[in-house]
């Protein structure tokens, strides 16, 4: 993967076209430019051939893409603008679900407290399994989560899910440090 530098104004413009949490800058540009993977629409310099050049597409490392998506979330203006831990917590959960819904679901099944259920498919289940749980729907998912926990517990939940999704320990620590 090549890296390019863009000025702040251009970065904000690209980021303003985000359609969902965790969408990478490459994905946004591909969509905006209507770029199809594997086909280079312009004729390379030094050739007179008017047909598009087909380039070999390399398999994308899914683990790298997921790490990049989480890092981009942490660097996003939207994430930085959140002034409450619960809002950052919800954004992280939403992003993790978007990256791997199956593993996210499996990880949440084993997450519960002594007297509380932390995740459920509906608000009523959470209300029935604890007092003062303050359930909230996780945007873009079928899940609800309790939010009346301290930041340490929120980090513990996120850490458990990220470990189940096999994220690197240093990234888990970084994410938890931002919540």
């Amino acid at each position: 993967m090549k890296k390019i530098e863009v000025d702040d104004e251009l970065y904000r413009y690209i980021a303003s076209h985000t359609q969902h949490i965790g969408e990478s800058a490459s994905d946004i540009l591909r969509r905006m430019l209507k770029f199809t993977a594997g086909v280079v629409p312009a004729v390379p310099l030094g050739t007179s051939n008017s047909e598009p050049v087909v380039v070999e597409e390399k398999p994308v490392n899914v683990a790298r893409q997921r790490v990049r998506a989480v890092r981009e979330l942490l660097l996003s203006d939207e994430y930085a603008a959140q002034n409450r831990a619960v809002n950052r917590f919800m954004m992280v959960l939403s992003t993790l679900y978007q990256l791997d819904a199956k593993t996210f679901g499996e990880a949440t099944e084993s997450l519960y407290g002594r007297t509380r259920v932390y995740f459920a498919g509906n608000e009523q289940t959470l209300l029935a399994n604890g007092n003062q749980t303050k359930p909230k729907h996780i945007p873009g998912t079928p899940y609800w989560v309790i939010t009346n926990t301290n930041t340490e517990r929120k980090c513990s939940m996120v850490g458990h899910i990220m470990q189940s999704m096999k994220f690197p320990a240093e990234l888990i620590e970084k994410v938890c440090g931002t919540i």
Side-chain angles (χ1 to χ4, degrees), residues 5 8 14 19 29 31 39 61 82 116-117 122 134 155 161 166:
E5 289 187 35
D8 291 339
I14 294 168
Q19 289 185 344
L29 287 171
R31 187 182 66 253
V39 177
N61 185 331
Q82 302 304 316
R116 289 178 161 181
V117 173
N122 59 61
K134 295 189 179 177
C155 289
I161 294 168
K166 303 201 181 327

Side-chain angles (χ1 to χ4, degrees), residues 9-148:
E9 182 181 31
L10 181 56
Y11 177 80
R12 281 191 298 276
Y13 177 78
I14 294 168
S16 74
H17 285 80
T18 302
Q19 289 185 344
H20 59 82
I21 295 173
E23 186 176 31
S24 71
S26 290
D27 294 338
I28 296 166
L29 287 171
R30 284 178 184 275
R31 187 182 66 253
M32 291 173 66
L33 298 170
K34 296 175 177 54
F35 180 79
T36 305
V39 177
V40 179
V43 177
L45 292 176
T47 66
S48 59
N49 188 352
S50 61
E51 293 184 27
V53 176
V54 177
V55 294
E56 184 178 325
E57 189 175 354
K58 296 180 182 177
V60 178
N61 185 331
V62 175
R64 267 194 189 152
Q65 272 189 323
R66 292 173 16 169
V67 166
R68 184 179 72 216
V70 171
R71 286 187 175 142
E72 286 179 0
L73 169 69
L74 299 180
L75 295 172
S76 73
D77 292 339
E78 184 182 4
Y79 190 79
Q82 302 304 316
N83 57 5
R84 297 183 62 218
V86 70
N87 295 340
R88 292 186 296 273
F89 174 62
M90 297 299 282
M91 287 182 75
V92 169
L93 292 176
S94 182
T95 298
L96 294 175
Y97 177 85
Q98 300 302 326
L99 294 173
D100 186 349
K102 183 176 184 266
T103 306
F104 181 93
E106 291 167 355
T108 61
E109 289 174 8
S110 61
L111 265 174
Y112 49 86
R114 195 170 33 88
T115 59
R116 289 178 161 181
V117 173
Y118 293 154
F119 292 87
N122 59 61
E123 181 180 21
Q124 292 72 29
T125 301
L126 297 177
L127 290 170
N129 286 285
N131 297 327
Q132 306 288 325
T133 57
K134 295 189 179 177
K136 285 192 177 187
H137 180 253
I138 304 169
T141 79
Y143 292 95
W144 287 72
V145 63
I146 65 170
T147 60
N148 191 19

